[in-house]
Structures are given as structure tokens and as C-alpha cells.
Amino acid sequence: MEIKIEGLEAKIGDTPILRGVDLTMKSGEVHALMGPNGSGKSTLSNVVFGHPSYEVTGGRVLVDGEDILEMEPHERARLGLFLAFQYPVEISGVTVGRFLRRAVEIRFEGQKEVRTKGFLKDLREAMDFMEIDQQFINRYLNEGFSGGEKKRMEILQMLMLQPQFSILDETDSGLDIDALAVVARGVNKMRDHDFGALIITHYQRILDHIKPDFVHIMYQGRIVTSGGGEIVTELEKRGYDWVRAQYGQEEEVHE
Amino acid sequence: MSNEAQTVHIDDYKFGFHYPDNSVFKTRKGLDEDVVKAISSHKQEPDWMLQYRLQALKVFREKQMPNWGGDLSDIDFDEIYYYAKPSEEQSRTWDDVPDDIKTTFDRIGIPEAERKYLAGVGAQYDSEMVYHNIQESVAKLGVLFTDPETAVREHPEIVKKYFGTVIPYSDNKFAALNSAVWSGGSFVYIPPGVRVEVPLQAYFRINSENFGQFERTLIIADEGSFVHYVEGCTAPVYATDSLHSAVVEIIALPGSRVRYTTIQNWSSDVYNLVTKRAFAYENATVEWVDGNIGSKRTMKYPSIWLMGEGAHGEVLSIAFAGKGQEQDTGGKAVHCASNTSSVITSKSISKDGGTASYRGQIKIEPDLHDVKSHVVCDALLIDEHSISNTYPYMDIQSDDVSMEHEARVSKISEEQLFYLMSRGMDEAEASMTIVNGFLDPLVKQLPMEYAVELNRLIELEMEGSVG
Ligand SMILES: Nc1ncnc2c1ncn2[C@@H]1O[C@H](COP(=O)(O)OP(=O)(O)OP(=O)(O)O)[C@@H](O)[C@H]1O
Ligand SMILES: [Mg+2]
């Protein structure tokens, strides 16, 4: 699968947030996306998934050559895209088990019989792998989950849904060291298959577990520079000041 | 005469079909003493019941219409048929039920439910119970389950002792109306210590147009007994309005437990104005599970009077108000003794401009101690133009009381929809999932069959709601 983002612009209300994002990613690759708070990383994920709050004002998002911007979020999901949310919402009254059974059924429509038959066994295995207690099967989705539990739940969903490409929005934030290793293990397990990911993060530590092939820096709604792992080291050392100095656009700084 | 049912498709209401009006006897439109006398004489009632009806008619005429709740100004009491007898005889086997009527209940699934999981079934068609049957094993325990007319004839001592004692005809205009023209319903008596483990069910069906159905239900659970009584209701879809105005009285004697479940699914032209009240004596428990999905306007607040120490009352109210519908529902608990507790849980859903209102009252009499009451009202709005209201009334005259009230109104949030859609659900399924989740804590307290039924009805209501 190839995802090609070209000149993507989007606004919320009257505020432009994405100002021409260009990014090409393929399954088999791991990309890291970094950038200061408010630079537009979550907005990019939301727009790629068709969140209704954002208005796309320019550009294209092509998946294997087909523009997906007119598709509903569920149609994009059914292409094999997955988004691990920065802030997963609580869905009261819907158990993890029931929800995942349905999501798996949709994802593997056609092969439904096979998939749902072994569903519970698959789920239990995936839960063990993610070190999530089996009792969570009967808990309401994300309701009352700790921050770390929510993040593990996102990765569990990814393992069950087997997407071809995932965007992981700060899945590492708020995780303790052990949880971080577990989450990274989940992502790496996906890499056995034809799978690509865009990992949005502020820290090097997750990238020590999941080696990115490319690193991009977003600033003021654009990808201002791309490179390899060395950029991360640079950032850890120097912070974002040099990015601001080099790529900041005067007229757009209102503060 | 044709046996072809005429199905009208309005809002996907599945039970909107009707058969030709084949009543064997019907009073003329409107209500006066002669109509009441005709009903009574048709039932060959003893004079005391006729006198009771006539008294009630007087009170009905004097009483004002309620000036709160839904708008009832469209009800024209002169345009209603108050009594229609569908067949000559009541049957004990489905084979003996006239074809149209039997087919109706087949389509609703009653005979099948009876075979599968019920201890007894009553089926009312317009004014009369056309079928009433109780499993032999249950009857052997001394359980009585009949229509109230039979009870008046065969058990006058019990009927006289309890009928109208929980809800006197002076209670409100519609209780008076019911007391004047009541017909059909159920009479249940459970002897001391007897536990009926599977439900008794009554099903109410309106077939005639411009019709008023006024069934009367009286349940007496003797000491230490248990019963679960379930009622369901549907009607055809007509262009004109019908009226359903029932009275349900429950007497839960010391140590007994009564659970009363309603799944109301009237068509969108039925005014549903029902008075339901229970007396719970020492250590008795009464639970009302009240699911209101259909009707044009419903006004119904099942109540429990906690009369003896240790009594406990619960009301679980579920309301769905769709287009043009107003569900004014809730519950009441009146604490008349110390060491009593009540829980009222209300969940309502409004969509397509519908209005769901919670109206509830907690009353605690003076000089009581250790009284607990907990009220939770949750409302879910599916869209911008639907409405939810909360009217909690409290009248607390004792000090040693623990009283909690929580109320929440939520809208289906864009973030929740987006989350579910990002996992592959289309928008309709995502909303349905959220609605089901909202109801889940309540629905899972229902026996499996009714939980499935309720979910199915709400799914039908939700269909096509998302653009
Ligand atoms: N729903 C919204 N309403 C108003 N402003 C919004 C909304 N969503 C995002 N924004 C604004 O868009 C900008 C980019 O936000 P976004 O969440 O994409 O940043 P981010 O790069 O993910 O930041 P962080 O690293 O803090 O997660 C911010 O200034 C934010 O306030
Ligand atoms: Mg973000």
C-alpha cells in the first residue's frame, strides 16, 4: 500500500492548520513524525481519516493512486488503514469483546466465518501478547481505563484488525517503561507482515524500540524537513529552536 | 370477509397492519351512562361493579385534564369507541381463537413465546382477553391468572378486597375513565411462598380504529411469593388517534417480590395514559421495568408506595422518543415506613425532534429513619433538534434520609462516532452502537428474550435516523 499526501491543506473554522503537507509512505516502511505541540500532527491524522470537524481546502491523499478525501471514515478504514488515537474516547456500555468482534467481522468481511470462529482465541492470544488482563474483554471500551491501558487497547485493536498501514498518534505518551516495550513489541509484530506505520512522537525512546526508516519534522502545518534517525538525536540535544529559527514564518507567528 | 391484513408502512413500524373490524359487539361512539351500563351488562357483572363504574364515570366528568406533561388537547372523548368485543368466547387453546386474531398474535410471535419461555399468557384484542392460559404446573401451585371479569365472578372476595384500593378512581381523570369502562386485563394471585420462576405475560393489541383500550390489571403477591409479569402492546397505524388508558395495581404482601416489565410499542397514533402503582409491605420488593418505545404521547410514572419496614422499590424506565412523539415518563416512590429504599433509573433517547421527559417524585413521610433513595436520569440526544427534559420533584419530611439525585444529558459526540467509524462501522451502525451502549446497563437486567426484543425495537426506531 502506498499513501501519498500531496499539498494537503485543511482548516478548522477559519483557522488554517495544515498548510501544504507533502508526504509519501509505503507499507514496509516506518516513518516517524515529530514536531512541537500544536504543529498539526494530530490534525494530519484526523484529516487522513476524514474527521468531520476539519475542512480540506487543498491537496490530495492518494491510497494506491486513489484519492480518498471524499470517502467516509469507515470506508477509509476498510481500505486497511488504522489510527491509534492520541486520546481514545470512552464508549460507554459497549464491551471490548463485543466491539472488537464486530470490528474484526467488518475488516474480514467475506472471510467472516473463519475469522469470527477463532475470534475469541485470537483475542485472548493478542491480549496475552499485549499483557492486557482477560477481564478487559467484558469492560466497557476505554471507560475508566488508565492512560496506559487506553494506549495498549489501541495496539490490541491494531493487532486484531491487521491493517496495512497505521498512524500511531503519540501512542508512547504516558506509558511507563515496561508498557512502552510492550506497545513497541505489538507494533514490531505487525512488521512481520506487509505493514507500514507513521509514528507520531515527541521522544526518542519509542524509536529506540521501533527503528524508523524516515523521520519528518512538522512545523506550522508543514513538513519542514525529513531525514533519518540522526534528526531525532539532534532534536533530543537541541530542542526545536533551530527548527523555529530555520523554518519559522514571521507573518504566521501571532503570539 | 377478507382475511388479508392491510399493512401500512409508516416509520418502519412493523406492527402497523390491521384486520377488518369483525367485532361481535361494539358500543356506539362516545361515553355516557348507557355505554357504561351496556359494557357492564355485556359482562353480566354483579351490581356492585356496575355501581363502582357509574361512580367513576361521575368523577371522570368532574376531573380536569392534567395540565402538565404532554399536550392532550387533541383527544376527543366523543369520537372514541369505548368497548369492542372481538369474539364470543375466550379460548384456552390458540386453535380456538378466531383466525384473524390468531394470525395477528402469530405475527407478533406470542404463541411461540408461550411455548418457549412463559408460565402463562393472556392475549387481549381490543376490549377482551381472547386467550388466557396458564401452565398446568403453575396452576397446581394455586396461582390464579385470569382476566379480571372472571375474577369478579369466581373470586369476588379477593377482588372486592383489593380492586381500586391502590388506585382509587378519584386518583386522576384517566384512572376514573378506566374505572368506568375497564375491560380485560389480568388478575394475578400468587399464594404464600409460591415462586413462579418463569414470567407470566399479557399482550395487548388494539385492532379497531378510533378505539379506546382500558384494561385493568390487579396483581396480588401473597407473603413470601415471587412473580414476574410482563406486558407488551402494539396497534395498527391509522390516520386517527386511539387511546390506551390502563390501570395497574400491585399489592406486594410482606416478604414478596413482584417484577413488572412493560415493553410498550404502540403505533405513533396512540395516546398512552396509564396509571401504575404498587404497595410494597414489610420486606417486600417491587420492580417496575418500563420500556416505552412507541405511541404519540405517553404519560406514565409507575410508582411504589413503601408501606412497611424493609420494603424496597425500583423503577427502571427506558423511553425512546422519535419523530412527533412525546414520552413523559419516570417513576415515583413514596416512603411511608422506616428502613425503606428506592431506586429510580431513567434512560431516555430523543431523536428526529422527539421529546423525552423524565418526571419523577420522591416523597418521604415525617418521622421516619433510615430511608434511602437514589435517582439517576440519563438522557441521550441523537441530534440537535430533539429535546430532553427533567422534572424531579422531592418532598422530604424526615431528617434521617439519604437522598441522591443525578441527572445527565449527553449528545452522541462526533468524537465517539469518528472513533467507531475509524474502526470500520458506518455512521448508522456507529450511532446504534452508542445507543445500545447507553442502554446496556439497563437492558442487561432484563431476561434475555426481552432484552433482545427491546434492542430490536430500538434498532427499528434508529434505522434511517442518520442522514
Ligand atoms: N477542534 C479544534 N478546534 C480548534 N482548534 C483546533 C482543533 N483541533 C486542532 N486545533 C488547533 O490546531 C493546531 C494543531 O493541533 P494538533 O492537535 O494537530 O497539534 P499536534 O501537533 O498534534 O500537537 P501535540 O503535539 O500537542 O499533540 C493547534 O493549534 C490546535 O489548537
Ligand atoms: Mg497531537
PDB file of all heavy atoms in Angstrom, chain A residues 12 17 35-44 53-54 86-87 169-170 202, ligand 1:
ATOM      1  N   ILE A  12      -9.781  24.484  10.426  1.00  0.00           N
ATOM      2  CA  ILE A  12     -10.885  24.233  11.340  1.00  0.00           C
ATOM      3  C   ILE A  12     -11.484  25.596  11.619  1.00  0.00           C
ATOM      4  O   ILE A  12     -10.774  26.532  11.985  1.00  0.00           O
ATOM      5  CB  ILE A  12     -10.404  23.503  12.605  1.00  0.00           C
ATOM      6  CG1 ILE A  12     -11.591  23.096  13.455  1.00  0.00           C
ATOM      7  CG2 ILE A  12      -9.427  24.308  13.435  1.00  0.00           C
ATOM      8  CD1 ILE A  12     -11.309  21.848  14.264  1.00  0.00           C
ATOM      9  N   ILE A  17      -4.792  25.088   9.431  1.00  0.00           N
ATOM     10  CA  ILE A  17      -3.881  24.337  10.302  1.00  0.00           C
ATOM     11  C   ILE A  17      -2.859  23.563   9.481  1.00  0.00           C
ATOM     12  O   ILE A  17      -1.665  23.622   9.751  1.00  0.00           O
ATOM     13  CB  ILE A  17      -4.676  23.436  11.249  1.00  0.00           C
ATOM     14  CG1 ILE A  17      -5.564  24.350  12.116  1.00  0.00           C
ATOM     15  CG2 ILE A  17      -3.734  22.625  12.145  1.00  0.00           C
ATOM     16  CD1 ILE A  17      -6.432  23.688  13.084  1.00  0.00           C
ATOM     17  N   GLY A  35       7.544  17.070  15.964  1.00  0.00           N
ATOM     18  CA  GLY A  35       7.232  18.487  15.773  1.00  0.00           C
ATOM     19  C   GLY A  35       6.647  19.047  17.043  1.00  0.00           C
ATOM     20  O   GLY A  35       6.048  18.311  17.820  1.00  0.00           O
ATOM     21  N   PRO A  36       6.810  20.342  17.269  1.00  0.00           N
ATOM     22  CA  PRO A  36       6.353  20.943  18.521  1.00  0.00           C
ATOM     23  C   PRO A  36       4.836  20.827  18.699  1.00  0.00           C
ATOM     24  O   PRO A  36       4.116  20.596  17.729  1.00  0.00           O
ATOM     25  CB  PRO A  36       6.779  22.411  18.404  1.00  0.00           C
ATOM     26  CG  PRO A  36       7.183  22.633  16.997  1.00  0.00           C
ATOM     27  CD  PRO A  36       7.454  21.306  16.375  1.00  0.00           C
ATOM     28  N   ASN A  37       4.385  21.020  19.941  1.00  0.00           N
ATOM     29  CA  ASN A  37       2.951  20.984  20.240  1.00  0.00           C
ATOM     30  C   ASN A  37       2.213  21.969  19.348  1.00  0.00           C
ATOM     31  O   ASN A  37       2.677  23.086  19.126  1.00  0.00           O
ATOM     32  CB  ASN A  37       2.688  21.394  21.706  1.00  0.00           C
ATOM     33  CG  ASN A  37       3.265  20.387  22.681  1.00  0.00           C
ATOM     34  OD1 ASN A  37       3.978  20.746  23.604  1.00  0.00           O
ATOM     35  ND2 ASN A  37       2.979  19.117  22.465  1.00  0.00           N
ATOM     36  N   GLY A  38       1.100  21.517  18.843  1.00  0.00           N
ATOM     37  CA  GLY A  38       0.269  22.420  18.050  1.00  0.00           C
ATOM     38  C   GLY A  38       0.729  22.594  16.619  1.00  0.00           C
ATOM     39  O   GLY A  38       0.193  23.417  15.883  1.00  0.00           O
ATOM     40  N   SER A  39       1.711  21.799  16.178  1.00  0.00           N
ATOM     41  CA  SER A  39       2.212  21.998  14.818  1.00  0.00           C
ATOM     42  C   SER A  39       1.292  21.352  13.769  1.00  0.00           C
ATOM     43  O   SER A  39       1.429  21.651  12.586  1.00  0.00           O
ATOM     44  CB  SER A  39       3.642  21.459  14.699  1.00  0.00           C
ATOM     45  OG  SER A  39       3.685  20.109  15.101  1.00  0.00           O
ATOM     46  N   GLY A  40       0.376  20.474  14.214  1.00  0.00           N
ATOM     47  CA  GLY A  40      -0.596  19.926  13.262  1.00  0.00           C
ATOM     48  C   GLY A  40      -0.493  18.428  13.037  1.00  0.00           C
ATOM     49  O   GLY A  40      -1.102  17.892  12.115  1.00  0.00           O
ATOM     50  N   LYS A  41       0.211  17.719  13.912  1.00  0.00           N
ATOM     51  CA  LYS A  41       0.416  16.278  13.710  1.00  0.00           C
ATOM     52  C   LYS A  41      -0.903  15.506  13.857  1.00  0.00           C
ATOM     53  O   LYS A  41      -1.253  14.678  13.004  1.00  0.00           O
ATOM     54  CB  LYS A  41       1.452  15.749  14.722  1.00  0.00           C
ATOM     55  CG  LYS A  41       2.797  16.487  14.640  1.00  0.00           C
ATOM     56  CD  LYS A  41       3.809  15.956  15.629  1.00  0.00           C
ATOM     57  CE  LYS A  41       3.414  16.119  17.091  1.00  0.00           C
ATOM     58  NZ  LYS A  41       3.289  17.535  17.543  1.00  0.00           N
ATOM     59  N   SER A  42      -1.643  15.784  14.950  1.00  0.00           N
ATOM     60  CA  SER A  42      -2.923  15.088  15.124  1.00  0.00           C
ATOM     61  C   SER A  42      -3.912  15.513  14.055  1.00  0.00           C
ATOM     62  O   SER A  42      -4.724  14.703  13.581  1.00  0.00           O
ATOM     63  CB  SER A  42      -3.516  15.387  16.503  1.00  0.00           C
ATOM     64  OG  SER A  42      -2.683  14.846  17.507  1.00  0.00           O
ATOM     65  N   THR A  43      -3.834  16.776  13.669  1.00  0.00           N
ATOM     66  CA  THR A  43      -4.726  17.241  12.609  1.00  0.00           C
ATOM     67  C   THR A  43      -4.483  16.443  11.331  1.00  0.00           C
ATOM     68  O   THR A  43      -5.430  16.026  10.663  1.00  0.00           O
ATOM     69  CB  THR A  43      -4.495  18.746  12.359  1.00  0.00           C
ATOM     70  OG1 THR A  43      -4.727  19.439  13.587  1.00  0.00           O
ATOM     71  CG2 THR A  43      -5.426  19.277  11.285  1.00  0.00           C
ATOM     72  N   LEU A  44      -3.231  16.212  11.030  1.00  0.00           N
ATOM     73  CA  LEU A  44      -2.916  15.429   9.834  1.00  0.00           C
ATOM     74  C   LEU A  44      -3.550  14.031   9.918  1.00  0.00           C
ATOM     75  O   LEU A  44      -4.187  13.567   8.964  1.00  0.00           O
ATOM     76  CB  LEU A  44      -1.395  15.322   9.656  1.00  0.00           C
ATOM     77  CG  LEU A  44      -0.929  14.473   8.468  1.00  0.00           C
ATOM     78  CD1 LEU A  44      -1.368  15.098   7.140  1.00  0.00           C
ATOM     79  CD2 LEU A  44       0.594  14.290   8.482  1.00  0.00           C
ATOM     80  N   SER A  53     -14.743  17.485  11.548  1.00  0.00           N
ATOM     81  CA  SER A  53     -14.530  18.870  12.014  1.00  0.00           C
ATOM     82  C   SER A  53     -13.607  19.673  11.110  1.00  0.00           C
ATOM     83  O   SER A  53     -13.569  20.888  11.197  1.00  0.00           O
ATOM     84  CB  SER A  53     -13.904  18.877  13.406  1.00  0.00           C
ATOM     85  OG  SER A  53     -14.806  18.345  14.317  1.00  0.00           O
ATOM     86  N   TYR A  54     -12.829  18.976  10.308  1.00  0.00           N
ATOM     87  CA  TYR A  54     -11.835  19.683   9.510  1.00  0.00           C
ATOM     88  C   TYR A  54     -12.312  19.836   8.079  1.00  0.00           C
ATOM     89  O   TYR A  54     -12.912  18.932   7.511  1.00  0.00           O
ATOM     90  CB  TYR A  54     -10.498  18.920   9.510  1.00  0.00           C
ATOM     91  CG  TYR A  54      -9.964  18.717  10.905  1.00  0.00           C
ATOM     92  CD1 TYR A  54     -10.376  17.635  11.666  1.00  0.00           C
ATOM     93  CD2 TYR A  54      -9.067  19.632  11.464  1.00  0.00           C
ATOM     94  CE1 TYR A  54      -9.917  17.452  12.956  1.00  0.00           C
ATOM     95  CE2 TYR A  54      -8.596  19.458  12.751  1.00  0.00           C
ATOM     96  CZ  TYR A  54      -9.021  18.367  13.500  1.00  0.00           C
ATOM     97  OH  TYR A  54      -8.566  18.198  14.771  1.00  0.00           O
ATOM     98  N   GLN A  86      -4.499   9.588  19.807  1.00  0.00           N
ATOM     99  CA  GLN A  86      -3.764  10.206  20.911  1.00  0.00           C
ATOM    100  C   GLN A  86      -4.622  10.189  22.177  1.00  0.00           C
ATOM    101  O   GLN A  86      -4.133   9.914  23.261  1.00  0.00           O
ATOM    102  CB  GLN A  86      -3.379  11.655  20.549  1.00  0.00           C
ATOM    103  CG  GLN A  86      -2.569  12.345  21.635  1.00  0.00           C
ATOM    104  CD  GLN A  86      -2.032  13.716  21.190  1.00  0.00           C
ATOM    105  OE1 GLN A  86      -2.319  14.197  20.095  1.00  0.00           O
ATOM    106  NE2 GLN A  86      -1.240  14.343  22.043  1.00  0.00           N
ATOM    107  N   TYR A  87      -5.927  10.475  22.002  1.00  0.00           N
ATOM    108  CA  TYR A  87      -6.857  10.432  23.137  1.00  0.00           C
ATOM    109  C   TYR A  87      -8.048   9.543  22.789  1.00  0.00           C
ATOM    110  O   TYR A  87      -9.068  10.043  22.324  1.00  0.00           O
ATOM    111  CB  TYR A  87      -7.356  11.846  23.470  1.00  0.00           C
ATOM    112  CG  TYR A  87      -6.245  12.836  23.725  1.00  0.00           C
ATOM    113  CD1 TYR A  87      -5.965  13.847  22.805  1.00  0.00           C
ATOM    114  CD2 TYR A  87      -5.486  12.751  24.887  1.00  0.00           C
ATOM    115  CE1 TYR A  87      -4.935  14.755  23.044  1.00  0.00           C
ATOM    116  CE2 TYR A  87      -4.454  13.655  25.124  1.00  0.00           C
ATOM    117  CZ  TYR A  87      -4.184  14.651  24.197  1.00  0.00           C
ATOM    118  OH  TYR A  87      -3.174  15.538  24.428  1.00  0.00           O
ATOM    119  N   ASP A 169      -0.688   7.903  16.895  1.00  0.00           N
ATOM    120  CA  ASP A 169      -0.559   9.285  17.364  1.00  0.00           C
ATOM    121  C   ASP A 169      -0.172   9.305  18.832  1.00  0.00           C
ATOM    122  O   ASP A 169      -1.003   9.103  19.706  1.00  0.00           O
ATOM    123  CB  ASP A 169      -1.873  10.032  17.125  1.00  0.00           C
ATOM    124  CG  ASP A 169      -1.713  11.546  17.317  1.00  0.00           C
ATOM    125  OD1 ASP A 169      -0.614  11.986  17.717  1.00  0.00           O
ATOM    126  OD2 ASP A 169      -2.696  12.269  17.063  1.00  0.00           O
ATOM    127  N   GLU A 170       1.089   9.548  19.099  1.00  0.00           N
ATOM    128  CA  GLU A 170       1.622   9.624  20.463  1.00  0.00           C
ATOM    129  C   GLU A 170       1.211   8.434  21.315  1.00  0.00           C
ATOM    130  O   GLU A 170       0.815   8.574  22.462  1.00  0.00           O
ATOM    131  CB  GLU A 170       1.198  10.928  21.144  1.00  0.00           C
ATOM    132  CG  GLU A 170       1.852  12.127  20.495  1.00  0.00           C
ATOM    133  CD  GLU A 170       1.849  13.357  21.405  1.00  0.00           C
ATOM    134  OE1 GLU A 170       1.908  13.192  22.634  1.00  0.00           O
ATOM    135  OE2 GLU A 170       1.799  14.473  20.863  1.00  0.00           O
ATOM    136  N   HIS A 202       7.026  12.522  20.496  1.00  0.00           N
ATOM    137  CA  HIS A 202       7.899  13.613  20.935  1.00  0.00           C
ATOM    138  C   HIS A 202       9.251  13.091  21.417  1.00  0.00           C
ATOM    139  O   HIS A 202      10.128  13.871  21.740  1.00  0.00           O
ATOM    140  CB  HIS A 202       7.238  14.394  22.077  1.00  0.00           C
ATOM    141  CG  HIS A 202       6.069  15.218  21.621  1.00  0.00           C
ATOM    142  ND1 HIS A 202       6.206  16.295  20.777  1.00  0.00           N
ATOM    143  CD2 HIS A 202       4.736  15.118  21.872  1.00  0.00           C
ATOM    144  CE1 HIS A 202       5.017  16.835  20.545  1.00  0.00           C
ATOM    145  NE2 HIS A 202       4.109  16.133  21.193  1.00  0.00           N
TER     146      HIS A 202
HETATM  147  N1  LIG C   1     -11.086  21.120  17.144  1.00  0.00           N
HETATM  148  C1  LIG C   1     -10.237  22.155  17.160  1.00  0.00           C
HETATM  149  N2  LIG C   1     -10.670  23.408  17.404  1.00  0.00           N
HETATM  150  C2  LIG C   1      -9.816  24.459  17.392  1.00  0.00           C
HETATM  151  N3  LIG C   1      -8.515  24.339  17.169  1.00  0.00           N
HETATM  152  C3  LIG C   1      -8.028  23.134  16.926  1.00  0.00           C
HETATM  153  C4  LIG C   1      -8.848  21.968  16.904  1.00  0.00           C
HETATM  154  N4  LIG C   1      -8.092  20.894  16.623  1.00  0.00           N
HETATM  155  C5  LIG C   1      -6.846  21.370  16.499  1.00  0.00           C
HETATM  156  N5  LIG C   1      -6.801  22.699  16.658  1.00  0.00           N
HETATM  157  C6  LIG C   1      -5.609  23.547  16.630  1.00  0.00           C
HETATM  158  O1  LIG C   1      -4.821  23.118  15.573  1.00  0.00           O
HETATM  159  C7  LIG C   1      -3.452  23.195  15.925  1.00  0.00           C
HETATM  160  C8  LIG C   1      -2.785  21.869  15.672  1.00  0.00           C
HETATM  161  O2  LIG C   1      -3.276  20.922  16.615  1.00  0.00           O
HETATM  162  P1  LIG C   1      -2.839  19.415  16.619  1.00  0.00           P
HETATM  163  O3  LIG C   1      -3.622  18.725  17.637  1.00  0.00           O
HETATM  164  O4  LIG C   1      -2.899  18.895  15.251  1.00  0.00           O
HETATM  165  O5  LIG C   1      -1.328  19.558  17.085  1.00  0.00           O
HETATM  166  P2  LIG C   1      -0.270  18.427  17.417  1.00  0.00           P
HETATM  167  O6  LIG C   1       0.866  18.664  16.520  1.00  0.00           O
HETATM  168  O7  LIG C   1      -0.903  17.088  17.377  1.00  0.00           O
HETATM  169  O8  LIG C   1       0.129  18.825  18.895  1.00  0.00           O
HETATM  170  P3  LIG C   1       0.535  17.892  20.164  1.00  0.00           P
HETATM  171  O9  LIG C   1       1.966  17.572  19.986  1.00  0.00           O
HETATM  172  O10 LIG C   1       0.330  18.790  21.320  1.00  0.00           O
HETATM  173  O11 LIG C   1      -0.351  16.689  20.165  1.00  0.00           O
HETATM  174  C9  LIG C   1      -3.406  23.626  17.368  1.00  0.00           C
HETATM  175  O12 LIG C   1      -3.150  24.995  17.429  1.00  0.00           O
HETATM  176  C10 LIG C   1      -4.778  23.345  17.860  1.00  0.00           C
HETATM  177  O13 LIG C   1      -5.172  24.208  18.895  1.00  0.00           O
END
